[in-house]
mmCIF file of all heavy atoms in Angstrom:
data_model
loop_
_atom_site.group_PDB
_atom_site.id
_atom_site.type_symbol
_atom_site.label_atom_id
_atom_site.label_comp_id
_atom_site.label_asym_id
_atom_site.label_seq_id
_atom_site.Cartn_x
_atom_site.Cartn_y
_atom_site.Cartn_z
ATOM 1 N N ASN A 60 11.656 -13.411 0.723
ATOM 2 C CA ASN A 60 10.272 -13.491 1.170
ATOM 3 C C ASN A 60 9.363 -12.910 0.100
ATOM 4 O O ASN A 60 9.767 -12.030 -0.655
ATOM 5 C CB ASN A 60 10.128 -12.722 2.480
ATOM 6 C CG ASN A 60 11.249 -13.063 3.452
ATOM 7 O OD1 ASN A 60 11.389 -14.209 3.864
ATOM 8 N ND2 ASN A 60 12.081 -12.081 3.798
ATOM 9 N N TYR A 62 5.358 -11.358 -0.786
ATOM 10 C CA TYR A 62 4.140 -10.736 -0.269
ATOM 11 C C TYR A 62 3.149 -10.540 -1.400
ATOM 12 O O TYR A 62 3.521 -10.331 -2.553
ATOM 13 C CB TYR A 62 4.440 -9.370 0.357
ATOM 14 C CG TYR A 62 5.431 -9.439 1.487
ATOM 15 C CD1 TYR A 62 6.795 -9.424 1.233
ATOM 16 C CD2 TYR A 62 5.011 -9.539 2.810
ATOM 17 C CE1 TYR A 62 7.716 -9.512 2.260
ATOM 18 C CE2 TYR A 62 5.921 -9.615 3.843
ATOM 19 C CZ TYR A 62 7.274 -9.610 3.561
ATOM 20 O OH TYR A 62 8.186 -9.694 4.586
ATOM 21 N N GLN A 64 -0.182 -8.033 -2.315
ATOM 22 C CA GLN A 64 -0.906 -6.830 -1.929
ATOM 23 C C GLN A 64 -2.058 -6.576 -2.892
ATOM 24 O O GLN A 64 -1.839 -6.378 -4.091
ATOM 25 C CB GLN A 64 0.012 -5.612 -1.879
ATOM 26 C CG GLN A 64 -0.692 -4.374 -1.315
ATOM 27 C CD GLN A 64 0.202 -3.157 -1.221
ATOM 28 O OE1 GLN A 64 1.080 -2.943 -2.044
ATOM 29 N NE2 GLN A 64 -0.014 -2.334 -0.193
ATOM 30 N N LYS A 68 -5.107 -2.363 0.261
ATOM 31 C CA LYS A 68 -4.899 -3.229 1.424
ATOM 32 C C LYS A 68 -3.423 -3.270 1.815
ATOM 33 O O LYS A 68 -2.541 -2.929 1.024
ATOM 34 C CB LYS A 68 -5.348 -4.659 1.110
ATOM 35 C CG LYS A 68 -6.792 -4.786 0.684
ATOM 36 C CD LYS A 68 -7.725 -4.707 1.845
ATOM 37 C CE LYS A 68 -9.150 -5.019 1.416
ATOM 38 N NZ LYS A 68 -9.998 -5.415 2.531
ATOM 39 N N ALA A 69 -3.180 -3.717 3.036
ATOM 40 C CA ALA A 69 -1.807 -3.937 3.477
ATOM 41 C C ALA A 69 -1.242 -5.192 2.818
ATOM 42 O O ALA A 69 -1.998 -6.104 2.455
ATOM 43 C CB ALA A 69 -1.766 -4.094 4.995
ATOM 44 N N PRO A 70 0.056 -5.254 2.665
ATOM 45 C CA PRO A 70 0.661 -6.488 2.149
ATOM 46 C C PRO A 70 0.401 -7.663 3.076
ATOM 47 O O PRO A 70 0.170 -7.496 4.276
ATOM 48 C CB PRO A 70 2.150 -6.150 2.099
ATOM 49 C CG PRO A 70 2.199 -4.663 2.037
ATOM 50 C CD PRO A 70 1.040 -4.196 2.876
ATOM 51 N N LEU A 72 2.072 -11.555 3.976
ATOM 52 C CA LEU A 72 3.188 -12.475 3.767
ATOM 53 C C LEU A 72 2.680 -13.795 3.213
ATOM 54 O O LEU A 72 1.760 -14.410 3.759
ATOM 55 C CB LEU A 72 3.907 -12.717 5.102
ATOM 56 C CG LEU A 72 5.058 -13.727 5.087
ATOM 57 C CD1 LEU A 72 6.229 -13.203 4.256
ATOM 58 C CD2 LEU A 72 5.513 -14.044 6.516
ATOM 59 N N TYR A 113 5.299 -8.829 -4.338
ATOM 60 C CA TYR A 113 6.615 -8.247 -4.056
ATOM 61 C C TYR A 113 7.535 -9.301 -3.442
ATOM 62 O O TYR A 113 7.112 -10.045 -2.547
ATOM 63 C CB TYR A 113 6.504 -7.095 -3.055
ATOM 64 C CG TYR A 113 5.739 -5.895 -3.529
ATOM 65 C CD1 TYR A 113 4.384 -5.759 -3.279
ATOM 66 C CD2 TYR A 113 6.381 -4.864 -4.228
ATOM 67 C CE1 TYR A 113 3.674 -4.643 -3.703
ATOM 68 C CE2 TYR A 113 5.681 -3.749 -4.664
ATOM 69 C CZ TYR A 113 4.329 -3.654 -4.390
ATOM 70 O OH TYR A 113 3.637 -2.544 -4.817
ATOM 71 N N GLN A 115 11.202 -9.648 -1.251
ATOM 72 C CA GLN A 115 11.927 -8.830 -0.259
ATOM 73 C C GLN A 115 13.077 -9.666 0.297
ATOM 74 O O GLN A 115 12.893 -10.828 0.667
ATOM 75 C CB GLN A 115 10.991 -8.420 0.874
ATOM 76 C CG GLN A 115 11.654 -7.711 2.038
ATOM 77 C CD GLN A 115 11.628 -8.538 3.318
ATOM 78 O OE1 GLN A 115 10.690 -9.278 3.588
ATOM 79 N NE2 GLN A 115 12.679 -8.419 4.138
ATOM 80 N N SER A 117 15.929 -10.501 3.147
ATOM 81 C CA SER A 117 16.202 -10.335 4.575
ATOM 82 C C SER A 117 17.623 -10.793 4.899
ATOM 83 O O SER A 117 17.917 -11.215 6.017
ATOM 84 C CB SER A 117 15.171 -11.095 5.407
ATOM 85 O OG SER A 117 15.018 -12.425 4.945
ATOM 86 N N PRO A 121 19.991 -2.329 4.526
ATOM 87 C CA PRO A 121 18.537 -2.210 4.674
ATOM 88 C C PRO A 121 17.802 -3.347 3.982
ATOM 89 O O PRO A 121 18.264 -3.853 2.952
ATOM 90 C CB PRO A 121 18.246 -0.875 3.979
ATOM 91 C CG PRO A 121 19.294 -0.783 2.912
ATOM 92 C CD PRO A 121 20.529 -1.375 3.527
ATOM 93 N N ARG A 122 16.703 -3.782 4.570
ATOM 94 C CA ARG A 122 15.839 -4.715 3.860
ATOM 95 C C ARG A 122 15.352 -4.023 2.587
ATOM 96 O O ARG A 122 15.061 -2.822 2.603
ATOM 97 C CB ARG A 122 14.633 -5.083 4.723
ATOM 98 C CG ARG A 122 14.970 -5.570 6.140
ATOM 99 C CD ARG A 122 15.842 -6.781 6.152
ATOM 100 N NE ARG A 122 15.940 -7.344 7.502
ATOM 101 C CZ ARG A 122 16.990 -8.014 7.946
ATOM 102 N NH1 ARG A 122 18.056 -8.200 7.170
ATOM 103 N NH2 ARG A 122 16.975 -8.510 9.176
ATOM 104 N N PHE A 124 12.885 -4.345 -1.088
ATOM 105 C CA PHE A 124 11.816 -5.003 -1.813
ATOM 106 C C PHE A 124 12.076 -4.913 -3.315
ATOM 107 O O PHE A 124 12.699 -3.948 -3.794
ATOM 108 C CB PHE A 124 10.477 -4.309 -1.528
ATOM 109 C CG PHE A 124 9.941 -4.509 -0.147
ATOM 110 C CD1 PHE A 124 10.309 -3.659 0.884
ATOM 111 C CD2 PHE A 124 9.042 -5.529 0.131
ATOM 112 C CE1 PHE A 124 9.801 -3.825 2.168
ATOM 113 C CE2 PHE A 124 8.519 -5.704 1.407
ATOM 114 C CZ PHE A 124 8.898 -4.855 2.427
ATOM 115 N N GLN B 40 4.849 3.296 1.619
ATOM 116 C CA GLN B 40 4.482 3.117 0.215
ATOM 117 C C GLN B 40 3.978 4.449 -0.332
ATOM 118 O O GLN B 40 2.911 4.927 0.065
ATOM 119 C CB GLN B 40 3.408 2.038 0.076
ATOM 120 C CG GLN B 40 3.086 1.664 -1.357
ATOM 121 C CD GLN B 40 2.233 0.415 -1.431
ATOM 122 O OE1 GLN B 40 1.381 0.154 -0.580
ATOM 123 N NE2 GLN B 40 2.462 -0.395 -2.456
ATOM 124 N N GLY B 45 5.943 1.184 -5.070
ATOM 125 C CA GLY B 45 6.169 -0.050 -4.342
ATOM 126 C C GLY B 45 6.453 0.180 -2.861
ATOM 127 O O GLY B 45 6.345 1.290 -2.347
ATOM 128 N N LEU B 46 6.837 -0.904 -2.210
ATOM 129 C CA LEU B 46 7.091 -0.882 -0.785
ATOM 130 C C LEU B 46 8.533 -0.485 -0.501
ATOM 131 O O LEU B 46 9.450 -0.916 -1.198
ATOM 132 C CB LEU B 46 6.822 -2.273 -0.197
ATOM 133 C CG LEU B 46 5.409 -2.810 -0.406
ATOM 134 C CD1 LEU B 46 5.330 -4.276 -0.027
ATOM 135 C CD2 LEU B 46 4.406 -1.995 0.388
ATOM 136 N N TRP B 48 11.201 -0.318 2.800
ATOM 137 C CA TRP B 48 11.559 -0.530 4.212
ATOM 138 C C TRP B 48 12.135 0.768 4.760
ATOM 139 O O TRP B 48 12.986 1.404 4.123
ATOM 140 C CB TRP B 48 12.580 -1.649 4.294
ATOM 141 C CG TRP B 48 13.070 -1.984 5.658
ATOM 142 C CD1 TRP B 48 12.531 -2.868 6.542
ATOM 143 C CD2 TRP B 48 14.238 -1.452 6.292
ATOM 144 N NE1 TRP B 48 13.278 -2.907 7.696
ATOM 145 C CE2 TRP B 48 14.339 -2.051 7.568
ATOM 146 C CE3 TRP B 48 15.217 -0.527 5.921
ATOM 147 C CZ2 TRP B 48 15.368 -1.765 8.459
ATOM 148 C CZ3 TRP B 48 16.247 -0.241 6.803
ATOM 149 C CH2 TRP B 48 16.307 -0.857 8.058
ATOM 150 N N TYR B 96 3.212 1.855 7.131
ATOM 151 C CA TYR B 96 2.736 0.637 7.778
ATOM 152 C C TYR B 96 3.688 0.235 8.893
ATOM 153 O O TYR B 96 4.920 0.309 8.720
ATOM 154 C CB TYR B 96 2.707 -0.523 6.788
ATOM 155 C CG TYR B 96 1.752 -0.412 5.633
ATOM 156 C CD1 TYR B 96 2.196 -0.017 4.374
ATOM 157 C CD2 TYR B 96 0.405 -0.734 5.782
ATOM 158 C CE1 TYR B 96 1.327 0.054 3.291
ATOM 159 C CE2 TYR B 96 -0.473 -0.660 4.708
ATOM 160 C CZ TYR B 96 -0.008 -0.265 3.480
ATOM 161 O OH TYR B 96 -0.873 -0.199 2.407
ATOM 162 N N GLY B 101 11.534 -8.565 12.087
ATOM 163 C CA GLY B 101 12.712 -7.814 11.687
ATOM 164 C C GLY B 101 13.299 -8.299 10.381
ATOM 165 O O GLY B 101 13.965 -7.555 9.665
ATOM 166 N N SER B 102 13.072 -9.547 10.042
ATOM 167 C CA SER B 102 13.561 -10.110 8.787
ATOM 168 C C SER B 102 12.442 -10.164 7.757
ATOM 169 O O SER B 102 12.554 -9.590 6.681
ATOM 170 C CB SER B 102 14.121 -11.507 9.024
ATOM 171 O OG SER B 102 15.277 -11.442 9.828
ATOM 172 N N PHE B 103 11.388 -10.891 8.057
ATOM 173 C CA PHE B 103 10.174 -10.863 7.237
ATOM 174 C C PHE B 103 9.023 -10.421 8.133
ATOM 175 O O PHE B 103 9.133 -10.450 9.361
ATOM 176 C CB PHE B 103 9.908 -12.225 6.585
ATOM 177 C CG PHE B 103 9.847 -13.369 7.541
ATOM 178 C CD1 PHE B 103 8.664 -13.702 8.164
ATOM 179 C CD2 PHE B 103 10.979 -14.140 7.797
ATOM 180 C CE1 PHE B 103 8.604 -14.770 9.042
ATOM 181 C CE2 PHE B 103 10.936 -15.200 8.668
ATOM 182 C CZ PHE B 103 9.741 -15.519 9.302
ATOM 183 N N PHE B 104 7.927 -10.018 7.486
ATOM 184 C CA PHE B 104 6.905 -9.278 8.205
ATOM 185 C C PHE B 104 5.580 -10.028 8.099
ATOM 186 O O PHE B 104 4.926 -10.003 7.055
ATOM 187 C CB PHE B 104 6.824 -7.870 7.622
ATOM 188 C CG PHE B 104 8.203 -7.298 7.360
ATOM 189 C CD1 PHE B 104 8.573 -6.902 6.098
ATOM 190 C CD2 PHE B 104 9.137 -7.195 8.382
ATOM 191 C CE1 PHE B 104 9.847 -6.419 5.835
ATOM 192 C CE2 PHE B 104 10.416 -6.710 8.142
ATOM 193 C CZ PHE B 104 10.769 -6.321 6.859
ATOM 194 N N ASN B 105 5.195 -10.718 9.165
ATOM 195 C CA ASN B 105 4.063 -11.619 9.071
ATOM 196 C C ASN B 105 2.749 -11.033 9.549
ATOM 197 O O ASN B 105 1.724 -11.711 9.491
ATOM 198 C CB ASN B 105 4.356 -12.952 9.775
ATOM 199 C CG ASN B 105 4.795 -12.771 11.212
ATOM 200 O OD1 ASN B 105 4.550 -11.733 11.820
ATOM 201 N ND2 ASN B 105 5.448 -13.776 11.761
ATOM 202 N N TRP B 107 0.728 -6.993 9.503
ATOM 203 C CA TRP B 107 0.813 -5.595 9.107
ATOM 204 C C TRP B 107 -0.397 -4.841 9.637
ATOM 205 O O TRP B 107 -1.502 -5.403 9.733
ATOM 206 C CB TRP B 107 0.809 -5.476 7.585
ATOM 207 C CG TRP B 107 1.975 -6.099 6.882
ATOM 208 C CD1 TRP B 107 2.303 -7.430 6.838
ATOM 209 C CD2 TRP B 107 2.950 -5.420 6.093
ATOM 210 N NE1 TRP B 107 3.433 -7.608 6.083
ATOM 211 C CE2 TRP B 107 3.856 -6.394 5.608
ATOM 212 C CE3 TRP B 107 3.164 -4.091 5.744
ATOM 213 C CZ2 TRP B 107 4.941 -6.079 4.802
ATOM 214 C CZ3 TRP B 107 4.250 -3.779 4.932
ATOM 215 C CH2 TRP B 107 5.126 -4.758 4.464
ATOM 216 N N GLY B 108 -0.206 -3.580 9.926
ATOM 217 C CA GLY B 108 -1.344 -2.725 10.204
ATOM 218 C C GLY B 108 -2.008 -2.278 8.917
ATOM 219 O O GLY B 108 -1.576 -2.641 7.818
#
Side-chain angles (χ1 to χ4, degrees):
Chain A
N60 314 298
Y62 301 85
Q64 187 179 34
K68 302 282 187 160
L72 176 67
Y113 295 93
Q115 173 247 326
S117 49
R122 308 301 190 209
F124 289 88
Chain B
Q40 187 169 34
L46 302 169
W48 179 88
Y96 295 100
S102 294
F103 55 87
F104 317 121
N105 54 20
W107 296 65

